[in-house]
PDB file of all heavy atoms in Angstrom:
ATOM      1  N   THR A   1      -6.162   1.192 -10.529  1.00 90.00           N
ATOM      2  CA  THR A   1      -7.430   1.819 -10.437  1.00 90.00           C
ATOM      3  C   THR A   1      -8.463   0.924  -9.921  1.00 90.00           C
ATOM      4  O   THR A   1      -9.568   1.328  -9.384  1.00 90.00           O
ATOM      5  CB  THR A   1      -7.886   2.312 -11.813  1.00 90.00           C
ATOM      6  OG1 THR A   1      -7.849   1.194 -12.761  1.00 90.00           O
ATOM      7  CG2 THR A   1      -6.973   3.326 -12.357  1.00 90.00           C
ATOM      8  N   ARG A   2      -8.283  -0.393  -9.973  1.00 91.00           N
ATOM      9  CA  ARG A   2      -9.269  -1.328  -9.423  1.00 91.00           C
ATOM     10  C   ARG A   2      -9.292  -1.363  -7.881  1.00 91.00           C
ATOM     11  O   ARG A   2     -10.238  -1.902  -7.163  1.00 91.00           O
ATOM     12  CB  ARG A   2      -9.103  -2.721 -10.041  1.00 91.00           C
ATOM     13  CG  ARG A   2      -7.882  -3.454  -9.606  1.00 91.00           C
ATOM     14  CD  ARG A   2      -7.768  -4.761 -10.365  1.00 91.00           C
ATOM     15  NE  ARG A   2      -6.592  -5.608  -9.922  1.00 91.00           N
ATOM     16  CZ  ARG A   2      -5.250  -5.311 -10.404  1.00 91.00           C
ATOM     17  NH1 ARG A   2      -5.115  -4.475 -11.384  1.00 91.00           N
ATOM     18  NH2 ARG A   2      -4.348  -6.125 -10.019  1.00 91.00           N
ATOM     19  N   PHE A   3      -8.239  -0.838  -7.404  1.00 92.00           N
ATOM     20  CA  PHE A   3      -8.225  -0.747  -5.873  1.00 92.00           C
ATOM     21  C   PHE A   3      -8.370   0.615  -5.357  1.00 92.00           C
ATOM     22  O   PHE A   3      -9.020   0.824  -4.281  1.00 92.00           O
ATOM     23  CB  PHE A   3      -6.820  -1.309  -5.422  1.00 92.00           C
ATOM     24  CG  PHE A   3      -6.495  -2.733  -5.800  1.00 92.00           C
ATOM     25  CD1 PHE A   3      -5.260  -3.097  -6.228  1.00 92.00           C
ATOM     26  CD2 PHE A   3      -7.452  -3.594  -5.866  1.00 92.00           C
ATOM     27  CE1 PHE A   3      -4.948  -4.308  -6.565  1.00 92.00           C
ATOM     28  CE2 PHE A   3      -7.235  -5.013  -6.264  1.00 92.00           C
ATOM     29  CZ  PHE A   3      -5.919  -5.295  -6.631  1.00 92.00           C
ATOM     30  N   GLY A   4      -7.797   1.664  -5.993  1.00 89.00           N
ATOM     31  CA  GLY A   4      -7.960   3.033  -5.472  1.00 89.00           C
ATOM     32  C   GLY A   4      -7.067   3.300  -4.270  1.00 89.00           C
ATOM     33  O   GLY A   4      -6.161   2.499  -3.834  1.00 89.00           O
ATOM     34  N   VAL A   5      -7.250   4.426  -3.720  1.00 92.00           N
ATOM     35  CA  VAL A   5      -6.493   4.922  -2.605  1.00 92.00           C
ATOM     36  C   VAL A   5      -6.704   4.190  -1.327  1.00 92.00           C
ATOM     37  O   VAL A   5      -5.722   3.697  -0.670  1.00 92.00           O
ATOM     38  CB  VAL A   5      -6.756   6.438  -2.330  1.00 92.00           C
ATOM     39  CG1 VAL A   5      -6.171   6.977  -1.083  1.00 92.00           C
ATOM     40  CG2 VAL A   5      -6.248   7.278  -3.517  1.00 92.00           C
ATOM     41  N   ASP A   6      -7.896   3.902  -0.852  1.00 92.00           N
ATOM     42  CA  ASP A   6      -8.200   3.330   0.446  1.00 92.00           C
ATOM     43  C   ASP A   6      -7.638   1.883   0.472  1.00 92.00           C
ATOM     44  O   ASP A   6      -7.013   1.545   1.509  1.00 92.00           O
ATOM     45  CB  ASP A   6      -9.683   3.299   0.656  1.00 92.00           C
ATOM     46  CG  ASP A   6     -10.192   4.751   0.829  1.00 92.00           C
ATOM     47  OD1 ASP A   6      -9.395   5.691   0.944  1.00 92.00           O
ATOM     48  OD2 ASP A   6     -11.435   4.887   0.777  1.00 92.00           O
ATOM     49  N   ALA A   7      -7.903   1.073  -0.497  1.00 94.00           N
ATOM     50  CA  ALA A   7      -7.452  -0.323  -0.443  1.00 94.00           C
ATOM     51  C   ALA A   7      -5.892  -0.336  -0.527  1.00 94.00           C
ATOM     52  O   ALA A   7      -5.266  -1.256   0.094  1.00 94.00           O
ATOM     53  CB  ALA A   7      -8.058  -1.163  -1.576  1.00 94.00           C
ATOM     54  N   SER A   8      -5.350   0.524  -1.211  1.00 94.00           N
ATOM     55  CA  SER A   8      -3.819   0.577  -1.309  1.00 94.00           C
ATOM     56  C   SER A   8      -3.157   1.067   0.031  1.00 94.00           C
ATOM     57  O   SER A   8      -2.206   0.400   0.439  1.00 94.00           O
ATOM     58  CB  SER A   8      -3.402   1.533  -2.429  1.00 94.00           C
ATOM     59  OG  SER A   8      -3.920   1.188  -3.712  1.00 94.00           O
ATOM     60  N   ALA A   9      -3.895   1.927   0.698  1.00 95.00           N
ATOM     61  CA  ALA A   9      -3.312   2.454   2.029  1.00 95.00           C
ATOM     62  C   ALA A   9      -3.515   1.198   2.983  1.00 95.00           C
ATOM     63  O   ALA A   9      -2.638   1.053   3.937  1.00 95.00           O
ATOM     64  CB  ALA A   9      -4.157   3.645   2.558  1.00 95.00           C
ATOM     65  N   LEU A  10      -4.652   0.572   2.988  1.00 95.00           N
ATOM     66  CA  LEU A  10      -4.860  -0.571   3.897  1.00 95.00           C
ATOM     67  C   LEU A  10      -3.819  -1.604   3.620  1.00 95.00           C
ATOM     68  O   LEU A  10      -3.236  -2.117   4.593  1.00 95.00           O
ATOM     69  CB  LEU A  10      -6.245  -1.119   3.621  1.00 95.00           C
ATOM     70  CG  LEU A  10      -6.627  -2.420   4.402  1.00 95.00           C
ATOM     71  CD1 LEU A  10      -6.530  -2.263   5.914  1.00 95.00           C
ATOM     72  CD2 LEU A  10      -7.914  -2.952   3.961  1.00 95.00           C
ATOM     73  N   TRP A  11      -3.440  -1.938   2.440  1.00 95.00           N
ATOM     74  CA  TRP A  11      -2.576  -2.979   2.212  1.00 95.00           C
ATOM     75  C   TRP A  11      -1.077  -2.470   2.637  1.00 95.00           C
ATOM     76  O   TRP A  11      -0.385  -3.289   3.277  1.00 95.00           O
ATOM     77  CB  TRP A  11      -2.491  -3.203   0.666  1.00 95.00           C
ATOM     78  CG  TRP A  11      -1.620  -4.498   0.371  1.00 95.00           C
ATOM     79  CD1 TRP A  11      -0.255  -4.668   0.515  1.00 95.00           C
ATOM     80  CD2 TRP A  11      -2.096  -5.746  -0.151  1.00 95.00           C
ATOM     81  NE1 TRP A  11       0.105  -5.936   0.164  1.00 95.00           N
ATOM     82  CE2 TRP A  11      -0.935  -6.628  -0.329  1.00 95.00           C
ATOM     83  CE3 TRP A  11      -3.416  -6.218  -0.537  1.00 95.00           C
ATOM     84  CZ2 TRP A  11      -1.112  -7.911  -0.751  1.00 95.00           C
ATOM     85  CZ3 TRP A  11      -3.510  -7.521  -1.044  1.00 95.00           C
ATOM     86  CH2 TRP A  11      -2.353  -8.349  -1.226  1.00 95.00           C
ATOM     87  N   ALA A  12      -0.798  -1.332   2.326  1.00 95.00           N
ATOM     88  CA  ALA A  12       0.537  -0.765   2.760  1.00 95.00           C
ATOM     89  C   ALA A  12       0.723  -0.894   4.293  1.00 95.00           C
ATOM     90  O   ALA A  12       1.811  -1.193   4.848  1.00 95.00           O
ATOM     91  CB  ALA A  12       0.712   0.719   2.306  1.00 95.00           C
ATOM     92  N   THR A  13      -0.478  -0.558   5.104  1.00 95.00           N
ATOM     93  CA  THR A  13      -0.339  -0.573   6.466  1.00 95.00           C
ATOM     94  C   THR A  13      -0.227  -1.927   7.040  1.00 95.00           C
ATOM     95  O   THR A  13       0.522  -2.323   7.926  1.00 95.00           O
ATOM     96  CB  THR A  13      -1.584   0.110   7.042  1.00 95.00           C
ATOM     97  OG1 THR A  13      -1.736   1.423   6.574  1.00 95.00           O
ATOM     98  CG2 THR A  13      -1.513   0.208   8.605  1.00 95.00           C
ATOM     99  N   ALA A  14      -0.950  -2.889   6.358  1.00 94.00           N
ATOM    100  CA  ALA A  14      -1.016  -4.347   6.827  1.00 94.00           C
ATOM    101  C   ALA A  14       0.292  -4.941   6.548  1.00 94.00           C
ATOM    102  O   ALA A  14       0.887  -5.755   7.328  1.00 94.00           O
ATOM    103  CB  ALA A  14      -2.055  -5.007   6.087  1.00 94.00           C
ATOM    104  N   THR A  15       0.878  -4.756   5.425  1.00 93.00           N
ATOM    105  CA  THR A  15       2.108  -5.518   4.928  1.00 93.00           C
ATOM    106  C   THR A  15       3.395  -5.034   5.727  1.00 93.00           C
ATOM    107  O   THR A  15       4.305  -5.814   5.801  1.00 93.00           O
ATOM    108  CB  THR A  15       2.368  -5.303   3.409  1.00 93.00           C
ATOM    109  OG1 THR A  15       3.263  -6.265   3.026  1.00 93.00           O
ATOM    110  CG2 THR A  15       2.843  -3.955   3.094  1.00 93.00           C
ATOM    111  N   THR A  16       3.275  -3.820   6.222  1.00 93.00           N
ATOM    112  CA  THR A  16       4.471  -3.439   7.087  1.00 93.00           C
ATOM    113  C   THR A  16       4.159  -3.521   8.579  1.00 93.00           C
ATOM    114  O   THR A  16       5.059  -3.334   9.367  1.00 93.00           O
ATOM    115  CB  THR A  16       4.933  -1.937   6.843  1.00 93.00           C
ATOM    116  OG1 THR A  16       3.647  -1.142   6.777  1.00 93.00           O
ATOM    117  CG2 THR A  16       5.505  -1.878   5.436  1.00 93.00           C
ATOM    118  N   SER A  17       2.960  -3.758   8.991  1.00 91.00           N
ATOM    119  CA  SER A  17       2.577  -4.168  10.364  1.00 91.00           C
ATOM    120  C   SER A  17       3.119  -5.609  10.545  1.00 91.00           C
ATOM    121  O   SER A  17       3.688  -5.884  11.557  1.00 91.00           O
ATOM    122  CB  SER A  17       1.154  -4.061  10.608  1.00 91.00           C
ATOM    123  OG  SER A  17       0.598  -2.774  10.533  1.00 91.00           O
ATOM    124  N   ALA A  18       2.848  -6.382   9.541  1.00 90.00           N
ATOM    125  CA  ALA A  18       3.567  -7.823   9.607  1.00 90.00           C
ATOM    126  C   ALA A  18       4.803  -7.728   8.769  1.00 90.00           C
ATOM    127  O   ALA A  18       5.028  -6.800   8.061  1.00 90.00           O
ATOM    128  CB  ALA A  18       2.502  -8.752   9.005  1.00 90.00           C
ATOM    129  N   SER A  19       5.589  -8.802   8.940  1.00 87.00           N
ATOM    130  CA  SER A  19       6.794  -8.902   8.173  1.00 87.00           C
ATOM    131  C   SER A  19       6.523  -9.618   6.872  1.00 87.00           C
ATOM    132  O   SER A  19       7.021 -10.594   6.531  1.00 87.00           O
ATOM    133  CB  SER A  19       7.870  -9.590   8.976  1.00 87.00           C
ATOM    134  OG  SER A  19       7.449 -10.953   9.281  1.00 87.00           O
ATOM    135  N   ASN A  20       5.586  -8.959   6.069  1.00 89.00           N
ATOM    136  CA  ASN A  20       5.092  -9.580   4.839  1.00 89.00           C
ATOM    137  C   ASN A  20       5.867  -8.994   3.704  1.00 89.00           C
ATOM    138  O   ASN A  20       6.605  -9.729   2.975  1.00 89.00           O
ATOM    139  CB  ASN A  20       3.674  -9.357   4.675  1.00 89.00           C
ATOM    140  CG  ASN A  20       3.045 -10.076   3.476  1.00 89.00           C
ATOM    141  OD1 ASN A  20       2.927  -9.512   2.468  1.00 89.00           O
ATOM    142  ND2 ASN A  20       2.663 -11.280   3.641  1.00 89.00           N
ATOM    143  N   GLY A  21       5.743  -7.752   3.377  1.00 88.00           N
ATOM    144  CA  GLY A  21       6.524  -7.131   2.296  1.00 88.00           C
ATOM    145  C   GLY A  21       5.849  -7.087   0.959  1.00 88.00           C
ATOM    146  O   GLY A  21       6.307  -6.505  -0.062  1.00 88.00           O
ATOM    147  N   SER A  22       4.708  -7.886   0.681  1.00 91.00           N
ATOM    148  CA  SER A  22       4.003  -7.784  -0.542  1.00 91.00           C
ATOM    149  C   SER A  22       3.288  -6.526  -0.691  1.00 91.00           C
ATOM    150  O   SER A  22       3.114  -5.769   0.257  1.00 91.00           O
ATOM    151  CB  SER A  22       2.952  -8.949  -0.614  1.00 91.00           C
ATOM    152  OG  SER A  22       1.992  -8.769   0.352  1.00 91.00           O
ATOM    153  N   VAL A  23       3.034  -6.116  -1.880  1.00 92.00           N
ATOM    154  CA  VAL A  23       2.539  -4.728  -2.222  1.00 92.00           C
ATOM    155  C   VAL A  23       1.516  -4.879  -3.321  1.00 92.00           C
ATOM    156  O   VAL A  23       1.505  -5.741  -4.177  1.00 92.00           O
ATOM    157  CB  VAL A  23       3.600  -3.754  -2.685  1.00 92.00           C
ATOM    158  CG1 VAL A  23       4.644  -3.438  -1.532  1.00 92.00           C
ATOM    159  CG2 VAL A  23       4.297  -4.220  -3.882  1.00 92.00           C
ATOM    160  N   ASN A  24       0.505  -4.026  -3.154  1.00 92.00           N
ATOM    161  CA  ASN A  24      -0.449  -3.957  -4.336  1.00 92.00           C
ATOM    162  C   ASN A  24      -0.422  -2.537  -4.886  1.00 92.00           C
ATOM    163  O   ASN A  24      -1.225  -2.199  -5.733  1.00 92.00           O
ATOM    164  CB  ASN A  24      -1.884  -4.219  -3.927  1.00 92.00           C
ATOM    165  CG  ASN A  24      -2.624  -3.097  -2.973  1.00 92.00           C
ATOM    166  OD1 ASN A  24      -1.825  -2.252  -2.449  1.00 92.00           O
ATOM    167  ND2 ASN A  24      -3.777  -3.236  -2.772  1.00 92.00           N
ATOM    168  N   SER A  25       0.479  -1.636  -4.576  1.00 92.00           N
ATOM    169  CA  SER A  25       0.851  -0.390  -5.057  1.00 92.00           C
ATOM    170  C   SER A  25       2.283  -0.096  -4.769  1.00 92.00           C
ATOM    171  O   SER A  25       2.891  -0.783  -4.005  1.00 92.00           O
ATOM    172  CB  SER A  25      -0.102   0.632  -4.373  1.00 92.00           C
ATOM    173  OG  SER A  25       0.116   0.757  -2.978  1.00 92.00           O
ATOM    174  N   MET A  26       2.699   0.958  -5.427  1.00 92.00           N
ATOM    175  CA  MET A  26       4.211   1.322  -5.253  1.00 92.00           C
ATOM    176  C   MET A  26       4.301   2.314  -4.043  1.00 92.00           C
ATOM    177  O   MET A  26       3.923   3.446  -4.110  1.00 92.00           O
ATOM    178  CB  MET A  26       4.841   1.846  -6.506  1.00 92.00           C
ATOM    179  CG  MET A  26       4.670   0.889  -7.660  1.00 92.00           C
ATOM    180  SD  MET A  26       5.706  -0.621  -7.363  1.00 92.00           S
ATOM    181  CE  MET A  26       4.391  -1.875  -7.019  1.00 92.00           C
ATOM    182  N   HIS A  27       4.969   1.856  -3.008  1.00 91.00           N
ATOM    183  CA  HIS A  27       5.155   2.757  -1.819  1.00 91.00           C
ATOM    184  C   HIS A  27       6.030   3.942  -2.151  1.00 91.00           C
ATOM    185  O   HIS A  27       5.879   4.972  -1.417  1.00 91.00           O
ATOM    186  CB  HIS A  27       5.739   1.930  -0.625  1.00 91.00           C
ATOM    187  CG  HIS A  27       4.881   0.868  -0.176  1.00 91.00           C
ATOM    188  ND1 HIS A  27       5.236   0.006   0.819  1.00 91.00           N
ATOM    189  CD2 HIS A  27       3.696   0.488  -0.478  1.00 91.00           C
ATOM    190  CE1 HIS A  27       4.289  -0.918   1.124  1.00 91.00           C
ATOM    191  NE2 HIS A  27       3.384  -0.570   0.278  1.00 91.00           N
ATOM    192  N   ASP A  28       6.855   3.825  -3.091  1.00 90.00           N
ATOM    193  CA  ASP A  28       7.701   4.926  -3.548  1.00 90.00           C
ATOM    194  C   ASP A  28       6.916   6.079  -4.036  1.00 90.00           C
ATOM    195  O   ASP A  28       7.304   7.255  -4.031  1.00 90.00           O
ATOM    196  CB  ASP A  28       8.721   4.512  -4.459  1.00 90.00           C
ATOM    197  CG  ASP A  28       9.934   5.463  -4.760  1.00 90.00           C
ATOM    198  OD1 ASP A  28      10.323   5.991  -3.712  1.00 90.00           O
ATOM    199  OD2 ASP A  28      10.221   5.735  -5.967  1.00 90.00           O
ATOM    200  N   SER A  29       5.676   5.741  -4.577  1.00 89.00           N
ATOM    201  CA  SER A  29       4.832   6.814  -5.174  1.00 89.00           C
ATOM    202  C   SER A  29       3.881   7.387  -4.062  1.00 89.00           C
ATOM    203  O   SER A  29       3.051   8.308  -4.490  1.00 89.00           O
ATOM    204  CB  SER A  29       4.042   6.196  -6.315  1.00 89.00           C
ATOM    205  OG  SER A  29       4.957   5.863  -7.339  1.00 89.00           O
ATOM    206  N   PHE A  30       3.851   6.888  -2.942  1.00 92.00           N
ATOM    207  CA  PHE A  30       2.959   7.513  -1.874  1.00 92.00           C
ATOM    208  C   PHE A  30       3.384   9.022  -1.631  1.00 92.00           C
ATOM    209  O   PHE A  30       4.473   9.385  -1.875  1.00 92.00           O
ATOM    210  CB  PHE A  30       3.031   6.653  -0.527  1.00 92.00           C
ATOM    211  CG  PHE A  30       2.162   5.504  -0.605  1.00 92.00           C
ATOM    212  CD1 PHE A  30       1.874   4.832  -1.748  1.00 92.00           C
ATOM    213  CD2 PHE A  30       1.560   5.042   0.626  1.00 92.00           C
ATOM    214  CE1 PHE A  30       1.065   3.722  -1.735  1.00 92.00           C
ATOM    215  CE2 PHE A  30       0.836   3.906   0.606  1.00 92.00           C
ATOM    216  CZ  PHE A  30       0.593   3.155  -0.575  1.00 92.00           C
ATOM    217  N   THR A  31       2.339   9.667  -1.049  1.00 90.00           N
ATOM    218  CA  THR A  31       2.740  11.041  -0.603  1.00 90.00           C
ATOM    219  C   THR A  31       3.784  10.863   0.538  1.00 90.00           C
ATOM    220  O   THR A  31       3.965   9.890   1.063  1.00 90.00           O
ATOM    221  CB  THR A  31       1.482  11.792   0.040  1.00 90.00           C
ATOM    222  OG1 THR A  31       0.999  10.952   1.003  1.00 90.00           O
ATOM    223  CG2 THR A  31       0.417  11.914  -1.063  1.00 90.00           C
ATOM    224  N   PRO A  32       4.407  11.966   0.923  1.00 91.00           N
ATOM    225  CA  PRO A  32       5.494  11.866   1.906  1.00 91.00           C
ATOM    226  C   PRO A  32       4.992  11.308   3.226  1.00 91.00           C
ATOM    227  O   PRO A  32       5.613  10.415   3.816  1.00 91.00           O
ATOM    228  CB  PRO A  32       6.033  13.364   2.092  1.00 91.00           C
ATOM    229  CG  PRO A  32       5.815  13.909   0.678  1.00 91.00           C
ATOM    230  CD  PRO A  32       4.517  13.282   0.138  1.00 91.00           C
ATOM    231  N   LEU A  33       3.849  11.787   3.666  1.00 92.00           N
ATOM    232  CA  LEU A  33       3.343  11.311   4.916  1.00 92.00           C
ATOM    233  C   LEU A  33       2.660   9.942   4.778  1.00 92.00           C
ATOM    234  O   LEU A  33       2.683   9.081   5.672  1.00 92.00           O
ATOM    235  CB  LEU A  33       2.249  12.342   5.537  1.00 92.00           C
ATOM    236  CG  LEU A  33       2.849  13.690   6.044  1.00 92.00           C
ATOM    237  CD1 LEU A  33       1.770  14.505   6.624  1.00 92.00           C
ATOM    238  CD2 LEU A  33       4.078  13.482   6.826  1.00 92.00           C
ATOM    239  N   GLY A  34       2.155   9.641   3.552  1.00 93.00           N
ATOM    240  CA  GLY A  34       1.608   8.287   3.338  1.00 93.00           C
ATOM    241  C   GLY A  34       2.770   7.328   3.335  1.00 93.00           C
ATOM    242  O   GLY A  34       2.560   6.141   3.948  1.00 93.00           O
TER     243      GLY A  34
END
């Protein structure tokens, strides 16, 4: 809740743009298109 949707989406996009792999939310819980 301290990050919300937008910051979580930003992190998911950044971490898979780079070969980083760290997460601040669970990608398994994203919507299908998310």
Side-chain angles (χ1 to χ4, degrees):
T1 55
R2 66 185 183 277
F3 302 142
V5 169
D6 295 345
S8 300
L10 172 61
W11 191 294
T13 306
T15 195
T16 49
S17 295
S19 59
N20 184 268
S22 64
V23 296
N24 72 345
S25 59
M26 298 300 104
H27 296 178
D28 194 44
S29 295
F30 276 33
T31 61
L33 294 187

